[in-house]
Structures are given as structure tokens and as C-alpha cells.
Amino acid sequence: MPSLSHYLVLSAILFSIGTAGVFVRRNLITILLSIEIMLNAVNLSFVAFGRALGTADGQIIVFFVMTVAAAEAAVGLAIVIGLFRHRESLNPDMFTSLKW
Amino acid sequence: MVAFALVMISFYLLGSVAVIASILVIAQRNPIYSVLLLIASFGALSGLYVLLDAPFAAAIQIIVYAGAIMVLFLFVVMLLNAPHEDTEHDLRVHPLMRVGPMGFGVVLSLVLVAELVVALSAGREPGSFSGGSTSSVAAIGRALFTEYQFAFEVTSILILVAMVGAVVLAKKESR
């Protein structure tokens, strides 16, 4: 049987892949997808901890994380549409008007 | 004994599918392929939730994440009609192979993996999961509507605010 550490290491690897995606990619939609990967890595560790403690609380937290992820995706994609309408680009380097 | 080995094999199978699909998500030039690969990764994660004796999480992973959120992403990718990443200076350079601050990001995330693995293996091994599962869907529903009722109701307000905000943000400006 895989132990708790197996699941936590898998979750750490997935989280780091998401982090690398945010750093490396220059495309707003791919950056949002990387954030989704990170949220899912955290969900996996929540469920693994909940299983290890023998409670259902892990799955309840996953439910709330997914709700927040849905709200984040809706607002984030609306912002992406608005930005694309202004600059005809998805490259975050194009949106530097607020840079000093 | 055979059942234990089967669980172990499926853990490694589903885990490698999730990791490989996630790596390919950030390695794709075309966001449509990224979204589809992320759905594959979510499917593998749902299988892992089944292995963790969490059927509720597995079901909403497929229904809400793969079914609703990813379709939203797919809609926006197709709507914007800008499928390829802007690599105005060099089209041949792969997005993951560029130098500069992006290479620093890759190094940073590799260090993060190494640190987490060391930290997790240095701690006390919790061993295999013990005890029976208490994660029936009925128990989750009962906890959600009694113990976590306030958070549940606040969540509905969050969804409402996000909905209104998305409509306002994506609306065409009328001057």
C-alpha cells in the first residue's frame, strides 16, 4: 500500500511543476492552467492527510478549494479576455503600464 | 497480498500519468493541447482519490474540474483565437528552453522538489494508512450542512460575486 509520504511527494512534484509553469511560460492562459495544477497538488495532499487522520474533513476542504478555483478561473479568464481586447496579445510582458 | 500489489501498481501508474501530463501541459505551445492534457492529469488525480478511499473528491474532481472549469478554459482559448505563444523573437526556441529569468524559474522549482523530498523523507514515516475509512458521501454531506454550514453559505456568495465580476469584466466597454 502506498503510504502518506508517497502521496505527499507526488503532491510536491505536481506543485513544483505548476510553479515552474508560472515562472517559465509567457502566456496568460498557460499561467492560469499552472495555477490549477498547483491547486490540485494541494488538494491531493489534503485528501491524503484526511485519509491518514481518518476524517472526512480533507474532502470537505477539497470541496471549498474547488469552489474558490472555479471563481478564480471565471474572474481570471474574464480579465484575460479584457486584456486581449486591449492589446491583441496574451503575453504578460505586453501589460506593463503599471510598471514604474 | 495481491490486492496490495495491485494498489501499489495503480498508484505508480496514475501518479506517473499525472506528472507526465502536467509536464506536457507547461511544455505545449498550443493552449488547446495544454487544456486537454490537464484534463488527462485531472482524470489520473481522480483515480488517486479513489485509491485514497475518497469517492466524493474523485466524483467532483471529474464533474466540476474536468467537466466545468476546463470547458470554461477551452471556451476562452477558442474564443481568443490566439493559440500560439508569442515568441516574436525566435519561433524555434521551445518555451521551456529559453535562457534568462525563465531558466532561473526552472532551477528554483527543481530546488523546491529536492527540498520537499528531503524534508518529507527526514520526518518520521507515518507508514501505511490505518483505521477504517469514515469518508462516506453521507458523512461528508452531514458535516457540510452542520459543522461547515457557515462556510458553505459564504461559498454561495463567493460564487455570486465571481459571476457578477466576470460579467462586468468581460463586458464590452460602451463609450
Side-chain angles (χ1 to χ4, degrees), chain A residues 43-99:
Chain A
N43 275 353
L44 180 63
S45 60
F46 271 135
V47 174
F49 276 126
R51 176 75 181 84
L53 293 174
T55 68
D57 290 355
Q59 292 184 69
I60 290 170
I61 294 179
V62 165
F63 173 80
F64 288 125
V65 170
M66 279 187 190
T67 319
V68 174
E72 171 250 318
V75 175
L77 288 172
I79 292 173
V80 167
I81 290 175
L83 287 172
F84 186 80
R85 203 175 276 150
H86 274 284
R87 294 283 163 87
E88 291 287 315
S89 167
L90 289 178
N91 190 344
D93 293 336
M94 296 287 286
F95 310 110
T96 53
S97 331
L98 287 179
K99 231 179 193 172

Side-chain angles (χ1 to χ4, degrees), chain B residues 57-154:
Chain B
I60 60 173
Q61 175 81 13
I62 293 291
I63 295 168
V64 176
Y65 246 122
I69 299 181
M70 284 303 116
V71 170
L72 186 66
F73 270 94
L74 211 54
F75 262 131
V76 171
V77 170
M78 290 174 171
L79 203 67
L80 291 186
N81 195 26
H84 291 280
E85 184 162 344
D86 286 348
T87 45
E88 54 278 319
H89 29 273
D90 200 350
L91 266 174
R92 280 151 303 180
V93 179
H94 192 267
L96 290 185
M97 292 294 164
R98 282 175 293 185
V99 291
M102 298 155 191
F104 176 69
V106 173
V107 172
L108 206 65
S109 55
L110 287 178
V111 169
L112 183 62
V113 171
E115 266 182 11
L116 286 168
V117 170
V118 168
L120 286 173
S121 52
R124 196 166 296 150
E125 276 287 314
S128 294
F129 298 120
S130 57
S133 69
T134 55
S135 58
S136 75
V137 179
I140 292 167
R142 206 168 294 121
L144 209 54
F145 283 101
T146 54
E147 208 179 332
Y148 298 95
Q149 193 182 17
F150 180 70
F152 187 76
E153 297 298 339
V154 169

